[in-house]
Amino acid sequence: MAQWTSAVGAAQLARLLKSQQDRPAGPGTRRPPAYRSLADGIRLLVLEGRVPVAARLPAERELALALSVSRTTVAAAYEALRTEGFLESRRGAGSWTAVPAGNPVPARGLEPLPPEALGSMIDLGCAALPAPEPWLTRAVQGALEELPPYAHTHGDYPAGLPALRAMIAERYTARGIPTMPEQIMVTTGAMGAIDAICHLFGGRGERIAVESPSYANILQLMREAGARLVPVAMAEGLSGWDLDRWRQVLREAAPRIAYVVADFHNPTGALADEDQRRRLVEAARSAGTVLVADETMSELWLDDDLEGAMPRPVCGFDPAGSTVITVGSASKAFWAGMRIGWVRAAPDVIRSLVAARAYADLGTPVLEQLAVNWLFSTGGWEEAVRLRRAQARDNRDALVAAVRRELPDWEFEVPQGGLTLWVRAGGLSGSRLAEAGERVGVRVPSGPRFGVDGAFEGFVRLPFTVGGAVADEAASRLAAAARLVADGGTAGTEAPRTFVA
């Protein structure tokens, strides 16, 4: 009986392997044998989660043809992987990926680092900050005071608590987009919202247009839902979208859904201007594409000149919600542990989402909804987000200074908001930097996690989650990881030391 649960084609594996570009070897540097490079490349893909564990690999002859190498090279690479525990084989069943005993199974998204590992590892993988106290505690206390009447009910509110739906609708109306409570559904975080939208509009095999790069966890959610992702390259720098490319993709690929982050895009930090938003809505409407606008970063502007000067929301160019479905969340602007998100759309879309929810999670926790409603209704939200902006701004400035000092050949533009820095890593492989970072005590996600089919190998994403001395130490460890990669991984490494901020 075969032990594999999925398969990777020769052409797909060749594309992923060819995307791994390292800095050209300098004079006197010995390149590893071809089989060793191939084995290392496959191992990195498994460790990154871009090739799943228990995925059947192509036959030796097929992969050799796709890579234009000898079959002997592929056979030697497979044997090396078997010896190291990254490949298992059985006659008649082929060969499939594995992880050595004792190694954690790699995640395919950006999972948080376990708390017990925080003493020795600086986590730059998850773009989330600690809760802005005392507002979390006050919100929970306020929610507890409001809880008794709800405790006498069944507690299931598939569309969300009526009071919170009304409050979210009122907040959109205050932003100049008239909204009724019937246009709002409360969800379990933004991920829950987008998962529901994808299942309603993007069935298995449906095309979904996505920015390239885009948020890694959303891309993985869509892949696992069976979507066919159509990448649309972002414009250069922080200028937002390339509208000519978007119009071409919407016209030619006719995707059922397009997913975009207009406000401080994750991972690049780009901010789309009003004209880009209007033109993209018009193009989506003409193509019959549902435009899903992720607003989770919209309140995280960090530069003072943006206060009161943010572009209109994407849904402002489609107030009825016939083309644009907006997703919001408390998780980025407030705290990741507050798993409250929401959808704004036309009432008939909301009714369909609510009806489908009976087969998913039934509803969002009541106590957390009451806590968010308390924040919205008391002004606590604005105070908490003000604290969050100040913390993210300080962290951004500290991280930018540290990276420029320790890694002067790394290239990036400083975004005006959001939580992430998108960095071109001086010609090094982002996948290899991520692996080397684990060895020196800094966890960083590589660029290909944010792309489709191996794109962005030369990038890493750095979130504004650390500041001060921790940012300095993180940059120092990244520099050590870069030296390891540049030296071909042959330099010695020290065990990560415990670091207390």
Side-chain angles (χ1 to χ4, degrees):
M1 179 179 177
Q3 302 298 306
W4 48 272
T5 57
S6 61
V8 180
Q12 179 189 6
L13 184 56
R15 286 196 303 273
L16 291 170
L17 288 165
K18 288 177 181 178
S19 73
Q20 296 176 334
Q21 298 295 323
D22 278 345
R23 175 179 289 170
T29 301
R30 293 182 60 186
R31 285 190 176 278
Y35 85 89
R36 184 69 262 173
S37 293
L38 176 55
D40 286 347
I42 294 174
R43 177 174 54 83
L44 278 172
L45 292 173
V46 173
L47 290 172
E48 281 266 293
R50 289 191 285 143
V51 169
V53 175
R56 187 178 186 274
L57 295 187
E60 294 170 2
R61 190 184 302 277
E62 293 175 6
L63 186 57
L65 184 63
L67 294 174
S68 299
V69 299
S70 70
R71 182 178 177 182
T72 302
T73 296
V74 177
Y78 278 14
E79 181 58 34
L81 290 167
R82 277 189 288 269
T83 300
E84 296 162 5
F86 285 94
L87 197 68
E88 295 181 10
S89 303
R90 181 174 298 171
R91 186 178 298 276
S95 298
W96 57 92
T97 56
V99 292
N103 279 38
V105 176
R108 304 196 71 190
L110 300 177
E111 79 291 355
L113 192 69
E116 61 270 18
L118 293 176
S120 60
M121 185 74 68
I122 297 176
D123 186 10
L124 296 181
C126 188
L129 291 163
E133 288 288 30
W135 296 105
L136 174 61
T137 299
R138 292 181 183 177
V140 173
Q141 291 170 341
L144 287 171
E145 293 175 2
E146 299 292 332
L147 183 61
Y150 295 94
H152 293 290
T153 73
H154 50 65
D156 287 336
Y157 296 88
L161 294 183
L164 181 55
R165 296 176 72 196
M167 181 61 68
I168 294 171
E170 182 180 314
R171 290 173 65 84
Y172 276 108
T173 300
R175 295 166 68 188
I177 305 131
T179 302
M180 303 178 294
E182 292 79 10
Q183 290 179 263
I184 302 295
M185 180 177 84
V186 181
T187 63
T188 307
M191 292 289 288
I194 293 170
D195 182 55
I197 294 166
C198 286
H199 278 90
L200 181 63
F201 289 99
R204 185 166 293 276
E206 289 281 4
R207 294 185 180 92
I208 300 181
V210 294
E211 297 149 326
S212 183
S214 187
Y215 179 36
N217 286 341
I218 293 296
L219 294 180
Q220 191 57 34
L221 181 155
M222 292 173 174
R223 290 187 188 102
E224 293 183 358
R228 298 164 61 189
L229 300 184
V230 182
V232 185
M234 296 287 289
E236 289 297 320
L238 299 175
S239 57
W241 302 316
D242 184 326
L243 266 299
D244 290 338
R245 288 174 177 167
W246 269 107
R247 278 193 293 266
Q248 180 182 2
V249 167
L250 294 176
R251 182 176 62 250
E252 296 179 358
R256 186 71 181 92
I257 302 174
Y259 169 76
V260 296
V261 185
D263 302 293
F264 311 120
H265 174 257
N266 186 354
T268 67
L271 177 65
D273 63 32
E274 286 204 12
D275 184 59
Q276 290 174 321
R277 297 170 192 232
R278 176 184 55 78
R279 291 163 61 197
L280 184 56
V281 171
E282 290 173 353
R285 184 181 293 117
S286 296
T289 297
V290 175
L291 187 61
V292 180
D294 186 333
E295 282 193 335
T296 54
M297 297 282 191
S298 63
E299 295 189 66
L300 290 177
W301 48 265
L302 304 182
D303 290 351
D304 291 340
D305 60 351
L306 284 178
E307 184 172 7
M310 284 287 291
R312 291 178 67 196
V314 177
C315 62
F317 300 94
D318 178 52
S322 59
T323 296
V324 178
I325 298 179
T326 302
V327 172
S329 171
S331 298
K332 292 298 185 184
F334 186 75
W335 183 47
M338 187 68 77
R339 304 304 305 160
I340 299 295
W342 52 86
V343 177
R344 182 198 181 276
D348 62 319
V349 172
I350 295 297
R351 287 193 294 270
S352 297
L353 288 170
V354 171
R357 193 172 195 180
Y359 307 100
D361 63 357
L362 293 178
T364 303
V366 170
L367 188 62
E368 292 185 28
Q369 292 188 70
L370 289 172
V372 172
N373 193 58
W374 182 92
L375 288 166
F376 284 157
S377 61
T378 63
W381 177 268
E382 284 71 24
E383 293 297 323
V385 172
R386 188 175 296 114
L387 288 175
R388 170 66 76 238
R389 289 193 197 106
Q391 185 180 15
R393 183 187 305 114
D394 290 346
N395 286 356
R396 178 196 64 181
D397 296 346
L399 187 63
V400 164
V403 172
R404 282 176 171 165
R405 182 179 62 251
E406 296 286 344
L407 294 150
D409 59 334
W410 285 21
E411 303 171 39
F412 55 87
E413 292 190 44
V414 182
Q416 293 184 284
L419 290 171
T420 57
L421 198 66
W422 185 238
V423 181
R424 189 186 299 273
L428 299 179
S429 160
S431 298
R432 296 179 190 276
L433 279 167
E435 183 193 31
E438 296 278 350
R439 296 163 59 186
V440 300
V442 59
R443 182 171 177 263
V444 58
S446 67
R449 286 182 177 268
F450 303 89
V452 177
D453 264 351
F456 308 109
E457 183 61 56
F459 289 80
V460 293
R461 189 194 73 169
L462 305 181
F464 311 145
T465 52
V466 297
V470 185
D472 292 338
E473 179 68 14
S476 177
R477 295 185 187 187
L478 284 171
R483 288 192 294 272
L484 275 175
V485 175
D487 292 339
T490 59
T493 60
E494 299 178 359
R497 60 185 180 275
T498 300
F499 186 83
V500 180

